Amino acid sequence: MTKWAMIVDLDKCVACQGCSIACRHENNTPAISPEEAAMGRAIRWNDVFPNPVNGTEEAGAYPHVRTRYLPRPCMHCENPPCVKVCPVQGTFQDENGTVRQNYARCIGCRFCTVACPYGARYFNWHDPYWSPEMARCLNPDRVVGRDDLEGPAVRLRGVVEKCTFCIQRLYAAQDRAAAEGRDFRPDEYVPACVQTCTAKARYFGDLDDPDSTVAMLSQNPRAFRLLEDVGTRPKVIYLREG
Amino acid sequence: MLKVDEKDKAKLLEPLFTASPRFWGFILLLLAVMGWGAFMYGRQVLFGLGETGMQRPVFWGVYMVNFVFFIGISHAGTLISAILRVTGAEWRRSITRVAEAITAVALIVGSLQIVIDMGRPERFFYVFRYGRLQSPLLWDAISVTAYLLGSLTYLYLPLIPDAALLRDHFPENGRRWQKRLYTLLAIGWRGNRQQWLRLEKAIAVMAVLIIPIAVSVHTIISWILATTVQPGWHSTIFGPYFVVGAIFSGIGALFVAMTVVRRVMGLEDYITGRQYRNLGLLFIVMNAVWMYFTYAEYLTLAAGQEANEFPVLASKLWGEFAPGFWTMVALMVMAFWIMVAPLLLPARAVKKGLFHPLASWGTAVIALLSALSLAGRLPMFASLPVVIGALALSLFLAGMGVAAWFKTRPVGATALAAIFVLVGMWLERWNIIAPTMTHPYLVDYATYQPTMTEYAITAASFALFIFLFTVFLKLFPAVSVWEVMEGRVIEAERAKVHIPLPEPSRARRSLRGAGD
């Protein structure tokens, strides 16, 4: 069984936010007005923000001040608090351990957004809006099934959405392999943020394969996970900044 | 034809067949507020929940507070009336109907809050179609549904004999649909022995069943918060803390409702000082237990100073939520004083100077002086211990000055305390939900300002509560007629038998004798 995981090397990350932009275009997250964004309603599946967020730890005294940045996709926890609380299975963990979101099922109770300690889940407070030029450039991909709508399919108001490790890219890669009549290899699939990363700070792969890059890097002494003490066991692993 | 006392008929049955212009005016006012709320809700459905002040990370706001508050109030009733029935408290008879009506109405309004809070209300039935039993929200759906059905049954059962009474004593010129309604609800009640036995048995079973359901309802509501790992919510005492708060606010709602009903319908002979005294004692106990839980909850947070939890507590104690938090504490302390002071005060103390309303003048002067000292206008008194001492003295004098006033007006005082408690308990829910939402782990600390949509829908929810309650009391007697009649017979029989009680000293002597 594959277990998709991501490594983010904070030593290499330059906080350029390229991952956020790539994610935005791959996954059709809507643009919103500055006023709405100031209220905290911007949707950024892959956010980059200063860490510590609220200055609960010392960031250093002048002149030894140092700002550290943290790129944050969904952690795809092995013990996801959001999946546990969802009343309708609108969010679920698939067989590869990826935490996914079904927009056709979500009732918009926002229990998952409240339960997620990482703030990785976003709610559609209004219907999404794109300027006509941008609307022409939307990603046409979608993951559909019976009672199922996932991936970059445009979300309407009132549902929750989140990073899915670009699930549509996994299906596309698997379909390609099937069409070419060969087995699917785990290195054929990466999310958009990993593909675009300017500093090559992100690695993606199968954590269950001991020979994969992510499995080897996860053993690195610099490896840590966000909020380890809340017991969510994220599959996004960071390498500490030196 | 069932028999009914002439006085009961005049006081309890006949008002149901007439309606004054004032009644219709009141109903119109409520409908106007509800219409405003419905309009704002329509906008919210059309444009999305962005019409509210909620955002990220404040994903839950006033609607959730209202939900917890209304479901809390619903404990008024059924739980209290069920406990009193099970323990055979005779004085319950005249207030059970009001209590049970509050429960049913509060549950309807409370459950509605969840639908209002949903981003996709049209998918509400997914909760039943695709329900995951592992989700605390589904536990809640199940327990609230069970409680609502149980409460409606429990409201209906004691209503059967009263509906039969109304059917039999229906005036000639009454509305026909109303008569049909009573006939339907009376389900052929004749009042024969077998029917009474069955009814008593059914009520007894329901009264026992409803208690664990009621406890489960508010425990599970607390678990919605406590099963997450968010700072300030992940607490083991939330279950009992919420149940205590629910019963506490429930008694408050019951006091307010029975005072209004007593005044408006002139039921002073039914709802008497006895009900206020006995339920008041329970009110004091719940206040103390609630205080204890609150203190226990916050002390552990304060002593631990955990990096993510302490900012939540700090925001309540001296941060942006401090006004609401300390208003809540002050209201609860005042409610406690209003209920306890008259009990501590000897009857003849009312005539003493300290308890004269003039004492409040002294209070005003001292409070003014300490305010001026704080502002720096009176530097000679400006040291902090003096100001604190002066404030304490003015509080003491104020307490003394009003204690006698409360002692002479038990009903008004209790109603005032109950209103304080209701406001305080709404603030308590606010103080639990909002500060944690604005202080998450990995998102910038936020502020939350509700918008007109939320205010309008909250106002409409309270209006709907009052509306349903009023309509219910316009259709059915506010006091369970048969229960009161039964109580009178029991009292009369008891009065015939006089058993002299032994003096406590003699009782002790006989106990010692038995031990020899």
Side-chain angles (χ1 to χ4, degrees):
Chain A
M1 191 58 62
T2 37
K3 192 154 102 183
W4 299 113
M6 190 187 285
I7 306 277
V8 182
D9 188 342
L10 296 177
D11 241 355
K12 288 169 141 189
C13 173
V14 294
C16 67
Q17 304 182 50
C19 46
S20 298
I21 300 297
C23 173
R24 164 143 306 198
H25 290 281
E26 174 70 27
N27 290 300
N28 296 338
T29 53
I32 59 166
S33 67
E35 299 84 58
E36 289 275 298
M39 279 187 79
R41 288 181 177 165
I43 296 181
R44 302 188 196 100
W45 288 10
N46 190 310
D47 205 357
V48 180
F49 49 79
N51 189 36
V53 187
N54 289 302
T56 45
E57 295 161 30
E58 280 300 314
Y62 180 82
H64 307 292
V65 187
R66 181 155 185 202
T67 308
R68 293 164 189 267
Y69 279 89
L70 192 73
R72 193 237 51 223
C74 169
M75 296 292 126
H76 292 278
C77 311
E78 286 186 55
N79 178 25
C82 53
V83 169
K84 281 195 282 190
V85 300
C86 180
V88 294
Q89 212 157 45
T91 186
F92 58 98
Q93 224 173 357
D94 69 10
E95 65 282 6
N96 299 328
T98 306
V99 178
R100 286 158 58 175
Q101 181 77 20
N102 180 355
Y103 316 126
R105 180 71 62 81
C106 177
I107 61 170
C109 69
R110 306 189 298 296
F111 200 174
C112 56
T113 57
V114 167
C116 175
Y118 301 99
R121 299 182 143 266
Y122 295 84
F123 183 71
N124 283 278
W125 299 101
H126 292 289
D127 272 330
Y129 170 79
W130 289 274
S131 60
E133 306 85 64
M134 285 179 76
R136 276 202 302 277
C137 306
L138 290 179
N139 183 353
D141 286 352
R142 56 206 327 225
V143 177
V144 284
R146 206 174 139 266
D147 297 335
D148 192 40
L149 182 63
E150 291 179 66
V154 168
R155 284 77 62 183
L156 295 182
R157 64 173 185 273
V159 298
V160 171
E161 57 181 70
K162 66 179 277 295
C163 158
T164 62
F165 273 168
C166 293
I167 189 71
Q168 69 279 9
R169 288 177 158 235
L170 170 65
Y171 285 140
Q174 283 173 341
D175 288 351
R176 205 179 309 125
E180 292 170 9
R182 55 182 174 79
D183 283 341
F184 165 75
R185 294 194 323 271
D187 62 352
E188 288 179 65
Y189 150 57
V190 289
C193 54
V194 179
Q195 185 183 12
T196 205
C197 184
T198 325
K200 296 196 166 42
R202 293 192 181 216
Y203 306 87
F204 189 79
D206 178 10
L207 201 59
D208 266 0
D209 174 6
D211 298 327
S212 71
T213 319
V214 288
M216 284 192 274
L217 282 175
S218 72
Q219 302 304 315
N220 191 304
R222 290 197 290 135
F224 75 100
R225 292 161 165 87
L226 280 185
L227 302 179
E228 283 179 50
D229 50 345
V230 297
T232 49
R233 287 183 281 142
K235 287 201 294 294
V236 172
I237 300 163
Y238 291 88
L239 300 182
R240 199 177 301 282
E241 217 171 333
Chain B
M1 186 88 172
L2 299 166
K3 272 188 296 189
V4 64
D5 198 80
E6 273 312 308
K7 194 184 119 202
D8 289 347
K9 192 178 175 186
K11 276 281 176 193
L12 299 171
L13 301 189
E14 266 153 24
L16 304 180
F17 308 118
T18 56
S20 64
R22 265 174 63 198
F23 170 79
W24 289 115
F26 184 60
I27 290 288
L28 267 181
L29 177 75
L30 291 175
L31 283 175
V33 178
M34 283 154 61
W36 182 43
F39 170 72
M40 293 305 257
Y41 178 65
R43 286 193 63 222
Q44 181 189 302
V45 170
L46 228 54
F47 301 125
L49 274 167
E51 293 302 305
T52 67
M54 288 187 276
Q55 21 96 342
R56 175 177 174 270
V58 187
F59 288 106
W60 282 345
V62 168
Y63 299 149
M64 204 64 186
V65 176
N66 288 342
F67 167 65
V68 183
F69 177 76
F70 277 114
I71 303 284
I73 281 189
S74 78
H75 284 53
T78 304
L79 188 57
I80 293 161
S81 94
I83 289 176
L84 297 182
R85 252 193 244 272
V86 171
T87 53
E90 278 296 314
W91 54 271
R92 70 160 199 277
R93 291 179 183 277
S94 55
I95 56 171
T96 49
R97 177 67 46 77
V98 171
E100 289 153 16
I102 293 177
T103 298
V105 170
L107 275 175
I108 293 168
V109 179
S111 328
L112 203 59
Q113 301 297 319
I114 286 291
V115 181
I116 292 171
D117 196 39
M118 280 168 62
R120 288 264 147 204
E122 78 276 13
R123 293 182 185 169
F124 177 75
F125 286 100
Y126 283 13
V127 174
F128 301 100
R129 189 166 160 204
Y130 301 111
R132 280 179 74 250
L133 267 181
Q134 300 93 319
S135 167
L137 213 61
L138 211 81
W139 310 343
D140 200 48
I142 293 170
S143 72
V144 169
T145 312
Y147 192 35
L148 180 61
L149 294 178
S151 298
L152 288 175
T153 315
Y154 188 61
L155 173 68
Y156 172 58
L157 286 176
L159 204 60
I160 298 174
D162 278 6
L165 269 182
L166 286 162
R167 175 197 64 196
D168 291 354
H169 294 271
F170 202 80
E172 293 298 320
N173 54 355
R175 281 161 296 211
R176 275 181 50 213
W177 64 266
Q178 208 173 346
K179 169 134 196 176
R180 242 180 260 143
L181 176 73
Y182 295 139
T183 315
L184 187 73
L185 288 179
I187 50 170
W189 180 266
R190 294 271 168 273
N192 58 39
R193 192 182 136 75
Q194 199 175 17
Q195 283 180 333
W196 276 117
L197 284 177
R198 280 185 190 152
L199 183 75
E200 288 289 351
K201 200 180 276 180
I203 292 179
V205 169
M206 280 312 294
V208 174
L209 274 183
I210 210 91
I211 294 173
I213 298 179
V215 171
S216 84
V217 167
H218 232 257
T219 307
I220 288 171
I221 285 179
S222 84
W223 285 346
I224 289 185
L225 309 179
T227 51
T228 68
V229 291
Q230 297 300 343
W233 283 357
H234 197 52
S235 162
T236 50
I237 69 164
F238 260 31
Y241 183 28
F242 273 49
V243 172
V244 164
I247 299 174
F248 184 32
S249 64
I251 302 174
L254 179 54
F255 267 136
V256 172
M258 68 196 233
T259 306
V260 172
V261 165
R262 179 179 190 263
R263 179 71 54 87
V264 173
M265 305 173 99
L267 300 182
E268 282 83 357
D269 291 344
Y270 295 87
I271 302 170
T272 62
R274 195 177 169 202
Q275 277 79 25
Y276 280 90
R277 207 162 40 245
N278 291 342
L279 202 56
L281 291 176
L282 192 59
F283 202 39
I284 294 170
V285 171
M286 293 322 285
N287 195 331
V289 177
W290 179 86
M291 288 275 185
Y292 162 70
F293 267 109
T294 307
Y295 185 72
E297 172 68 14
Y298 290 127
L299 179 78
T300 47
L301 289 181
Q305 304 218 352
E306 203 267 323
N308 289 300
E309 282 183 337
F310 193 67
V312 178
L313 180 66
S315 75
K316 298 184 201 184
L317 295 185
W318 55 77
E320 72 266 34
F321 292 102
F325 182 81
W326 292 109
T327 307
M328 167 191 89
V329 172
L331 286 171
M332 296 309 190
V333 170
M334 285 194 289
F336 190 76
W337 175 255
I338 292 171
M339 296 303 294
V340 168
L343 296 178
L344 297 180
L345 206 61
R348 54 178 198 284
V350 177
K351 297 197 180 76
K352 292 278 186 294
L354 188 59
F355 299 101
H356 198 269
L358 271 180
S360 54
W361 283 102
T363 315
V365 171
I366 294 171
L368 184 71
L369 283 180
S370 31
L372 284 175
S373 315
L374 266 182
R377 296 287 171 82
L378 294 174
M380 64 276 207
F381 297 123
S383 81
L384 196 62
V386 172
V387 172
I388 292 175
L391 284 175
L393 185 63
S394 66
L395 265 181
F396 174 75
L397 280 178
M400 289 298 142
V402 292
W405 193 86
F406 289 135
K407 192 171 178 70
T408 49
R409 293 166 186 79
V411 173
T414 310
L416 184 68
I419 291 170
F420 283 179
V421 166
L422 284 182
V423 177
M425 282 311 290
W426 195 92
L427 284 172
E428 190 240 36
R429 274 70 198 249
W430 167 264
N431 290 329
I432 285 176
I433 290 174
T436 290
M437 288 272 81
T438 57
H439 293 80
Y441 282 108
L442 279 175
V443 187
D444 288 339
Y445 289 167
T447 49
Y448 169 50
Q449 179 64 49
T451 61
M452 195 47 86
T453 307
E454 281 150 300
Y455 292 131
I457 291 178
T458 302
S461 301
F462 280 92
L464 176 66
F465 177 85
I466 299 169
F467 174 79
L468 290 175
F469 188 72
T470 312
V471 168
F472 178 82
L473 291 192
K474 201 67 205 170
L475 285 175
F476 302 102
V479 169
S480 184
V481 182
W482 68 271
E483 281 191 90
V484 168
M485 282 161 57
E486 189 183 75
R488 266 192 219 119
V489 176
I490 293 173
E491 290 280 306
E493 287 303 313
R494 276 209 187 135
K496 279 184 204 154
V497 192
H498 178 69
I499 304 168
L501 297 169
E503 289 289 318
S505 52
R506 267 188 60 197
R508 277 196 292 274
R509 219 176 298 140
S510 71
L511 269 180
R512 272 201 302 277
D516 288 342

